[in-house]
Amino acid sequence: MSLNFEQKVIKILGQDRAFWDPATKLCYSLDGYPVQKHTPRAVAMPETNKEVQALVRLCLEEGVPILPRGAGTCLSGGATPPKTPCLLIEMARMQKILSWSPEDRTAIVQSGMVNLDLSVIVGKKGLYYAPDPSSQKASTIGGNLAENAGGPHCFKYGMTADHILGVRFVDGRGEMVVADLEDGPDLVGLFTGSEGTFGVATEVKVRLSKSPEMVRTFLASFSSMEAACGTVSRIVREGIVPAALEILDHLTIEAVEASVFAAGYPKDAEAVLLIELDGPRDEVEADSPKVVKILKEEHPLAVESTTDAEQRQSLWKGRKGAFGAMGRLKPNIFVLDGVVPTSKLASVLSKVAEIGKKYNIVLSNVFHAGDGNLHPNLSFDGRDPSETRRAMEAGLEILELCVMSGGSISGEHGIGYEKREAMRYMFDEADLSAFRELRRCFDPRGVCNPGKFFPTGGGCKEGRSAKSSEGLDV
Amino acid sequence: MNLEQSNPAYKHSLDCVHCGLCLPACPTYQTLAQEKDSPRGRILLMRAEAEGEIALSEPSLGDALDNCLDCRACESACPSGVQYGKILEAYREKLARLPSRNRRARFLGSLLDNLIASKSLHRLSMSSLRMAQALGLQKLATVLPFPRWMKEGLALLPRIPKGSERCPIAPGIYEPTGPKRAEIALFTGCMMETLFGRVNRAALRVLQAAGCRVHVPPNQGCCGALHLHAGLQDRARPLVERNLRAFPKDLDAIIVTSAGCGSAMKEYPSWMGQASEFSTKVQDFTEFLANLGLGFTPRSVPMQATWDDPCHLCHGQGIRKEPRRLLAQIPQLKLIPLEHPEDCCGSAGIYNLQKPALAHSILDRKVKDIQKTGVRILITANPGCHLWMESGLAKLDEDYQVLHIAEVLAKAL
Ligand SMILES: Cc1cc2nc3c(=O)[nH]c(=O)nc-3n(C[C@H](O)[C@H](O)[C@H](O)COP(=O)(O)OP(=O)(O)OC[C@H]3O[C@@H](n4cnc5c(N)ncnc54)[C@H](O)[C@@H]3O)c2cc1C
Ligand code: SF4
Ligand code: SF4
């Protein structure tokens, strides 16, 4: 008797790690991007590299698309299933640290390991994993790798890409590829940021960093957003390299202060700026007075500063919970990720506010000011088609504005479904074809996370046949 | 009337923005790593049910909601302020009304009514169980030809304390030992009273020493929390009404020694308007004492112990600092911090009887954390957790002791 697809998945994993009940399928129908929703055909929870490979090979035989998934915190629809019902490969059960060496400052982890869990383990030896997306309590190393995630401290320490030394992945041909920075061509760099379109990462070798000797966090509140942005440009101009420079606007402050993440940010401020200096004690002590001097000259409403670990954490708490806290305003939020030069922060933000007004969409801002990475949050009610459309249009217009101002459409959240059309603001057909060509090397049949990343118009065969995967021209 | 008005749970579900920050806090997600066993997944399912995307009778939806401990750790983690408990309890009630679940709900309801809410039956069953356990019948039962469900049920039951420990307080009015500082009542509960009379007796002595005139009203009874968690609001209502009648009106506070009861009693007004005056007076034992101040100089109690936050104290009532503040006042009591003190132990009302396998894996994590502290005394403040963690610790070789915080304070008198 021939087995159907689902039975074959069970044959690989056993009954208790393969699911296609309606509740499971619905739960996996979207990530943190609230606009698009498709249910997967089935959900598989592998525990070994071999199982992952067997699942990918099965999907190739059966022509079923594959979606790797970590914690589903992606904000651009990267972890939302493609239209053609896929096999969703949930990596959350592969969350072990396989080995680590405090001397070499490296660790090899399974890709489903949660970012913060790694730092907790290696923290015992005074080390940590530097990339710190605000989702780090939940998001996985594999998801961070696939999105090249950033975080507040990436201004000084770089993005995920700067901390990855090797990847083991099963590519879209069903081959197990071992990419190592020290060995062969830089496949590691290629895989980083590939958003699950090259295959499924099973193991990741990461660089660990030494916990800084001293950390000082400043919280300054301002009566205008211009003043806060001006302070950031001055700090950057004067050659100080803080670990983090983060700004929250008035609406965000209000929402955060109403939440369990209340951090005591002054509610009357138009903007608050978090500045963090870290490193060797003498360096932090040398930079602190410079920051204080700049702050004084920019006339903040109030300034607090602390080196106490607990107090620092509470200052940061509000920032880390900011995205979720905005959920108080409307049932859905859609967060953008455009980048602009720091010198243009203030002027772009005022244009962003105008766009919000034009489309009549509640808009708030919390962003990585140091590297000009904006995160306008558009609050809307997904049940209202007109409001949803306005939010999407406002989003595209803001991304276009970022590109026109000399920036880009994405700092760290990836392209996914959300920004695939906006790719055209930055890349012409020749660039896009080159990207497609590259991807075909790993995934010639376009089974890995299809329908994302590339713009749909021109060269796309979305929905052409049920068998062929969506979106990608192969 | 639109959906948000007709279905308040739906309105609460709209607060969730699907950010996933609650995933690490959720014990079932941590154990099963499945989206449908996470708060984010469960909220999505309940919202989808209201919007007509999935039927209430769909078994996988029911399973997902049954697996939830109702520990509300997700509420403490959620930046968007989702009131998860309210959504879940509304859905548990809807589920209990389903014809396909009706028999089960009725069975559970009568079990709760008879064994827990009815004091005399509860006492009788506890004494017989205690006797059976003392005689080793529990072990014997595993080899006898009893039906499987009975064997499993018996094997799961935690150790029942001996009679002298169970003996409840006599109703009446107890005068303060020094000058009077407050006029209060002690809520004795059902589990707490029949299983842990010793805890209520300790609490009473501490409260008297703190200058309280303490009423122990005779006609009080079960608070209905377990019924509510099971979606049996109709059966909880008469229990609440009984308590509204039982307590005098002019009190400064109604003191509860069981975190689960206190949390439910504070939340009565959300579904029973006439309870608001009563509910505003409800305070946890630790909350009340920490705010009032001990009023006596605690004697030293040389011991090393660790404190575990009951879910319905920290997540349900937001009480975290108070118990620690009280314990810190006792000379020579050294409190060693527990890792993940706010994680559920798996007891969760009667969850451990309904979902034994999952409850045991969650308990294992807690036991490991307790072992790591190196101490042998665990302090907590909820009878269900108390028994459950005691049963987990009893399996280890070392001698562990579990105490209610009131008992520790009583030692300092
Ligand atoms: C509250 C909140 C705050 C956030 N803050 C930040 C921030 O500060 N900086 C930032 O950069 N991002 C941030 N994000 C976005 C998101 O957390 C990141 O993109 C994160 O890297 C996603 O990780 P994940 O494990 O949730 O992956 P998922 O969302 O599950 O997946 C993301 C993508 O990676 C792919 N993928 C996942 N695992 C694998 C694997 N093993 N192999 C191959 N592909 C895989 C998926 O197919 C998908 O395309 C935030 C999100 C939220 C909800
Ligand atoms: S109540 Fe507890 S078990 Fe239920 S979803 Fe919330 S955290 Fe998870
Ligand atoms: S933390 Fe709150 S808003 Fe975020 S997914 Fe969980 S319940 Fe929803």
Side-chain angles (χ1 to χ4, degrees):
Chain A
M1 198 187 71
S2 73
L3 300 178
N4 66 20
F5 177 72
E6 281 75 10
Q7 289 165 325
K8 288 178 185 166
V9 176
I10 291 188
K11 217 175 140 204
I12 300 171
L13 296 181
Q15 201 86 43
D16 55 347
R17 286 189 285 128
F19 306 89
W20 51 87
D21 58 90
T24 298
K25 280 164 58 170
L26 203 55
C27 282
Y28 284 106
S29 63
L30 78 168
D31 60 12
Y33 177 63
V35 185
Q36 218 145 333
K37 222 172 159 183
H38 307 126
T39 47
R41 176 165 175 173
V43 175
M45 304 189 78
E47 286 176 356
T48 64
N49 296 353
K50 280 230 168 72
E51 286 174 353
V52 174
Q53 188 170 29
L55 290 169
V56 173
R57 289 193 166 159
L58 171 67
C59 289
L60 278 168
E61 272 164 33
E62 304 266 334
V64 174
I66 298 158
L67 173 71
R69 175 172 153 130
T73 66
C74 185
L75 296 170
S76 56
T80 296
K83 230 185 212 160
T84 310
C86 68
L87 179 69
L88 187 146
I89 302 186
E90 162 67 274
M91 298 303 288
R93 289 257 177 119
M94 292 182 66
Q95 46 168 267
K96 286 201 233 5
I97 183 161
L98 298 173
S99 64
W100 65 290
S101 153
E103 294 75 36
D104 301 340
R105 295 197 196 152
T106 59
I108 300 179
V109 302
Q110 289 186 312
S111 64
M113 172 159 231
V114 170
N115 173 311
L116 193 62
D117 289 353
L118 174 58
S119 286
V120 169
I121 294 175
V122 302
K124 288 177 215 141
K125 296 269 182 200
L127 300 175
Y128 75 116
Y129 176 61
D132 64 335
S134 302
S135 58
Q136 72 180 147
K137 266 162 85 178
S139 65
T140 64
I141 300 284
N144 294 169
L145 166 76
E147 295 291 330
N148 190 17
H153 291 81
C154 292
F155 177 58
K156 180 168 176 183
Y157 295 104
M159 311 280 289
T160 298
D162 300 303
H163 302 267
I164 302 291
L165 302 170
V167 188
R168 179 191 282 271
F169 63 100
V170 180
D171 73 6
R173 301 165 302 172
E175 300 297 325
M176 183 71 78
V177 181
V178 183
D180 196 312
L181 264 196
E182 288 169 4
D183 191 17
D186 184 8
L187 294 183
V188 178
L190 267 186
F191 191 88
T192 310
S194 61
E195 303 194 9
T197 63
F198 284 9
V200 188
T202 60
E203 290 173 14
V204 191
K205 184 173 173 191
V206 299
R207 188 199 313 281
L208 303 172
S209 308
K210 196 167 173 292
S211 309
E213 188 187 355
M214 187 179 192
V215 188
R216 179 175 285 284
T217 307
F218 296 85
L219 176 81
S221 51
F222 292 90
S223 58
S224 76
M225 180 55 88
E226 290 74 38
C229 293
T231 309
V232 169
S233 315
R234 275 198 60 193
I235 291 175
V236 175
R237 249 197 341 261
E238 299 199 7
I240 304 167
V241 188
L245 280 166
E246 300 281 309
I247 293 182
L248 289 81
D249 74 358
H250 181 72
L251 208 53
T252 313
I253 299 169
E254 274 186 343
V256 165
E257 288 305 315
S259 79
V260 290
F261 285 74
Y265 298 159
K267 281 187 231 166
D268 54 345
E270 279 306 310
V272 297
L273 167 62
L274 277 161
I275 308 167
E276 189 153 284
L277 298 175
D278 75 2
R281 178 175 293 274
D282 46 351
E283 201 178 296
V284 174
E285 282 175 353
D287 279 345
S288 293
K290 296 186 203 159
V291 170
V292 171
K293 181 165 169 277
I294 297 177
L295 277 175
K296 251 198 202 129
E297 289 164 13
E298 297 290 335
H299 309 295
L301 295 171
V303 179
E304 267 180 74
S305 121
T306 174
T307 55
D308 177 79
E310 215 168 286
Q311 286 173 12
R312 287 196 314 99
Q313 235 174 29
S314 92
L315 289 183
W316 271 105
K317 208 163 92 175
R319 168 61 187 91
K320 299 249 166 184
F323 168 82
M326 295 313 299
R328 289 160 188 269
L329 297 185
K330 290 260 179 174
N332 301 94
I333 24 179
F334 164 39
V335 48
L336 299 172
D337 181 37
V339 184
V340 298
T342 38
S343 58
K344 294 198 180 150
L345 274 174
S347 67
V348 170
L349 280 171
S350 73
K351 285 189 196 133
V352 166
E354 277 165 31
I355 298 176
K357 280 208 193 90
K358 176 172 145 195
Y359 289 94
N360 190 19
I361 289 289
V362 178
L363 197 151
S364 58
N365 285 289
V366 40
F367 54 101
H368 311 306
D371 31 29
N373 190 181
L374 298 181
H375 287 325
N377 282 310
L378 309 178
S379 301
F380 67 103
D381 186 339
R383 299 167 301 169
D384 175 348
S386 131
E387 196 175 41
T388 309
R389 205 191 52 247
R390 279 185 280 124
M392 294 299 109
E393 285 172 5
L396 274 178
E397 195 164 325
I398 292 171
L399 293 187
E400 197 172 0
L401 166 71
C402 293
V403 176
M404 306 278 278
S405 315
S408 82
I409 57 172
S410 175
E412 54 181 27
H413 294 170
I415 307 301
Y417 271 131
E418 180 224 346
K419 307 183 196 72
R420 55 184 181 167
E421 304 308 333
M423 284 290 273
R424 293 199 189 284
Y425 298 151
M426 296 187 64
F427 303 107
D428 61 17
E429 208 39 58
D431 297 330
L432 292 170
S433 306
F435 293 158
R436 289 198 180 93
E437 195 75 37
L438 182 65
R439 184 189 164 191
R440 238 169 268 159
C441 305
F442 295 100
D443 182 19
R445 294 174 52 195
V447 291
C448 300
N449 203 3
K452 317 287 174 69
F453 205 84
F454 294 99
T456 46
C460 158
K461 296 174 187 163
E462 178 150 22
R464 199 173 62 166
S465 87
K467 264 266 162 148
S468 92
S469 45
E470 160 207 14
L472 191 81
D473 186 7
V474 284
Chain B
M1 193 154 78
N2 71 20
L3 201 51
E4 280 173 57
Q5 287 161 340
S6 64
N7 181 347
Y10 173 64
K11 189 163 180 294
H12 290 304
S13 76
L14 297 178
D15 291 337
C16 173
V17 288
H18 218 70
C19 70
L21 290 187
C22 51
L23 299 183
C26 174
T28 57
Y29 180 78
Q30 284 307 310
T31 311
L32 300 166
Q34 268 217 68
E35 191 64 25
K36 116 178 137 171
D37 292 305
S38 78
R40 183 176 61 180
R42 293 184 178 120
I43 295 166
L44 176 136
L45 289 172
M46 293 186 272
R47 177 173 169 178
E49 190 282 328
E51 291 177 347
E53 268 188 89
I54 187 167
L56 190 64
S57 57
E58 164 54 42
S60 57
L61 170 87
D63 283 349
L65 301 187
D66 288 345
N67 265 357
C68 173
L69 297 149
D70 200 4
C71 71
R72 298 175 43 189
C74 46
E75 288 188 16
S76 296
C78 174
S80 191
V82 174
Q83 299 185 33
Y84 177 83
K86 292 208 175 119
I87 316 176
L88 178 79
E89 280 173 18
Y91 268 85
R92 288 246 165 113
E93 207 201 342
K94 279 182 163 207
L95 282 171
R97 287 178 198 277
L98 276 179
S100 57
R101 286 177 166 246
N102 201 274
R103 258 189 44 199
R104 180 169 147 186
R106 276 213 314 266
F107 172 72
L108 194 63
S110 50
L111 192 79
L112 288 175
D113 281 351
N114 291 326
L115 288 188
I116 303 219
S118 148
K119 280 188 203 172
S120 44
L121 276 176
H122 190 192
R123 249 174 238 155
L124 187 68
S125 52
M126 289 310 148
S127 338
S128 11
L129 272 174
R130 164 74 196 168
M131 205 160 9
Q133 291 183 339
L135 294 172
L137 293 181
Q138 211 170 355
K139 277 213 186 87
L140 191 62
T142 56
V143 295
L144 289 178
F146 286 161
R148 219 184 80 196
W149 64 266
M150 203 191 273
K151 280 187 191 180
E152 284 176 1
L154 279 172
L156 276 174
L157 283 175
R159 187 189 72 90
I160 308 295
K162 49 178 192 277
S164 59
E165 294 178 15
R166 297 203 311 270
C167 174
I169 320 181
I173 298 176
Y174 294 81
E175 296 300 329
T177 45
K180 184 179 127 180
R181 296 161 71 214
E183 181 96 18
I184 61 170
L186 182 65
F187 173 79
T188 50
C190 52
M191 284 257 272
M192 198 50 114
E193 190 188 39
T194 34
L195 282 174
F196 285 112
R198 66 168 212 243
V199 169
N200 279 338
R201 277 179 278 132
L204 177 63
R205 283 172 50 218
V206 174
L207 290 166
Q208 285 176 288
C212 300
R213 185 161 187 263
V214 187
H215 297 244
V216 181
N219 295 321
Q220 57 172 317
C222 172
C223 69
L226 294 178
H227 298 74
L228 288 169
H229 299 326
L232 304 169
Q233 209 179 75
D234 286 349
R235 289 186 189 245
R237 193 176 296 272
L239 300 176
V240 180
E241 281 163 355
R242 176 174 69 187
N243 281 332
L244 293 187
R245 285 192 302 271
F247 282 81
K249 296 275 172 281
D250 42 356
L251 292 169
D252 297 323
I254 297 170
I255 307 305
V256 184
T257 48
S258 151
C261 306
S263 169
M265 290 163 78
K266 286 181 178 176
E267 285 166 17
Y268 286 157
S270 73
W271 59 280
M272 219 175 134
Q274 74 265 41
S276 15
E277 204 192 320
F278 176 87
S279 288
T280 48
K281 292 205 177 133
V282 171
Q283 287 194 43
D284 184 71
F285 172 77
T286 59
E287 176 187 16
F288 175 76
L289 258 190
N291 291 335
L292 181 74
L294 283 182
F296 60 88
T297 313
R299 288 209 320 210
S300 56
V301 180
M303 65 154 84
Q304 287 204 355
T306 190
W307 162 256
D308 179 67
D309 295 271
C311 294
H312 284 235
L313 198 60
C314 61
H315 308 305
Q317 303 181 54
I319 296 175
R320 297 178 165 88
K321 295 201 176 108
E322 292 83 344
R324 293 178 171 84
R325 248 170 48 208
L326 288 172
L327 292 171
Q329 291 175 47
I330 304 179
Q332 290 191 42
L333 187 147
K334 187 154 181 243
L335 210 57
I336 310 289
L338 181 67
E339 261 181 63
H340 317 114
E342 297 191 3
D343 280 10
C344 183
C345 65
S347 151
I350 49 169
Y351 184 91
N352 48 357
L353 302 178
Q354 294 173 303
K355 297 270 168 185
L358 200 51
H360 269 111
S361 4
I362 294 168
L363 175 64
D364 287 345
R365 298 159 72 108
K366 182 60 82 186
V367 166
K368 282 203 188 96
D369 283 338
I370 298 171
Q371 267 184 306
K372 267 195 237 159
T373 61
V375 305
R376 296 285 178 273
I377 300 174
L378 173 73
I379 308 174
T380 187
N382 190 56
C385 314
H386 192 137
L387 279 178
W388 185 236
M389 291 192 282
E390 199 167 59
S391 77
L393 291 167
K395 294 201 190 104
L396 306 175
D397 287 338
E398 296 90 358
D399 255 346
Y400 279 91
Q401 197 185 3
V402 184
L403 295 173
H404 186 284
I405 187 167
E407 297 180 89
V408 179
L409 285 164
K411 284 182 200 286
L413 286 179

